[in-house]
């Protein structure tokens, strides 16, 4: 009672502990710059030549902790207990829909910088679906959607002569948004 609803909200920690900083840490490790600081708690990447970033959409830190406690992930729990990998709590972005968060991961830019603030935006006077780049008024696909306003992480890394490979479910491959996210990766 009397408590502001926003008091419980998790705000993005863009300075040192968010998806934005995770991407900056990976980019920095390979000599690229996103214009944002890396994670405050450094990733253990010394003498590491390859990085695999696995994105599990919708699996939050607290959910993962609960699964580990409940025994749903015995192999992961054993690996964590053995002292190898660690879990770190970081924040997402705002707004936080998948398309927005993935665009931050794939560009190293805040939503305000990359401009993807949801699943649809207005381009001129028409709403456009950002997943299919379809004009929602006419149902027509845009010939040349204006999407590449910022370079992707893969483009930044390729400029540093770092080979990038991206894997995703077949049903997502080839969509206009996925093609843009993957620019610079095999």
């Amino acid at each position: 009672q009397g408590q502001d609803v926003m008091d419980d909200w998790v705000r993005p920690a863009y300075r040192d502990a968010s998806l934005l900083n995770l991407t900056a840490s990976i980019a920095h490790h390979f000599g690229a710059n996103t214009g944002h600081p890396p994670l405050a708690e450094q990733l253990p990447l010394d003498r590491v030549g390859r990085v695999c970033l696995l994105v599990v959409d919708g699996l939050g830190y607290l959910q993962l902790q609960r699964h580990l406690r409940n025994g749903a992930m015995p192999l992961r729990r054993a690996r964590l207990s053995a002292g190898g990998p660690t879990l770190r709590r970081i924040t997402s972005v705002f707004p936080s829909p998948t398309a927005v968060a993935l665009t931050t991961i794939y560009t190293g830019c805040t939503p305000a910088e990359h401009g993807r603030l949801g699943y649809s935006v207005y381009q001129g006077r028409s709403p456009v679906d950002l997943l299919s780049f379809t004009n929602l008024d006419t149902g027509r696909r845009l010939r040349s959607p204006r999407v590449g306003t910022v370079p992707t992480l893969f483009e930044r890394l390729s400029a540093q002569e770092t080979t990038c490979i991206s894997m995703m479910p077949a049903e997502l491959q080839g969509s206009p948004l996925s093609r843009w996210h993957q620019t610079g990766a095999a």
Side-chain angles (χ1 to χ4, degrees):
Q1 293 178 332
Q3 182 179 2
D4 190 340
V5 170
M6 291 177 56
D7 288 347
D8 291 337
W9 288 13
V10 176
R11 292 172 175 82
Y14 291 149
R15 289 189 183 143
D16 59 3
S18 73
L19 292 175
L20 178 72
N21 310 107
L22 173 63
T23 299
S25 292
I26 294 168
H28 179 76
H29 176 70
F30 290 105
N33 183 8
T34 65
H36 294 282
L39 291 165
E41 189 178 335
Q42 292 184 344
L43 295 175
L45 297 177
D46 292 341
R47 297 184 309 274
V48 170
R50 295 180 185 169
V51 172
C52 176
L53 176 62
L54 174 65
V55 178
V56 181
D57 188 20
L59 179 61
Y61 179 80
L62 295 177
Q63 290 170 307
L64 183 56
Q65 292 284 44
R66 188 174 58 248
H67 289 309
L68 290 166
R69 275 193 315 273
N70 295 341
M73 304 173 80
L75 294 176
R76 177 63 41 215
R77 186 174 180 172
R79 293 266 308 170
L80 288 166
S81 297
T86 61
L87 287 180
R88 299 174 190 197
R89 187 178 197 156
I90 62 174
T91 64
S92 185
V93 295
F94 183 84
S96 61
T98 298
V100 180
L102 286 178
T103 302
T104 292
I105 290 170
Y106 287 127
T107 64
C109 297
T110 66
E113 293 168 324
H114 60 63
R116 304 298 166 251
L117 302 177
Y119 289 102
S120 60
V121 295
Y122 273 88
Q123 224 174 33
R125 295 183 180 180
S126 299
V128 173
D129 176 275
L130 288 176
L131 298 179
S132 65
F133 291 107
T134 302
N135 181 311
L136 294 173
D137 284 340
T138 65
R140 290 190 193 131
R141 200 131 192 208
L142 298 175
R143 281 192 199 152
S144 178
R146 291 178 280 155
V147 294
T149 57
V150 295
T152 67
L153 173 64
F154 302 126
E155 289 174 304
R156 293 176 199 268
L157 293 175
S158 293
Q160 299 300 317
E161 299 183 10
T162 300
T163 302
C164 302
I165 298 170
S166 178
M167 296 176 11
M168 68 178 59
E171 64 269 12
L172 299 177
Q173 229 170 6
S175 75
L177 187 61
S178 292
R179 282 197 319 267
W180 176 54
H181 282 165
Q182 310 312 311
T183 301

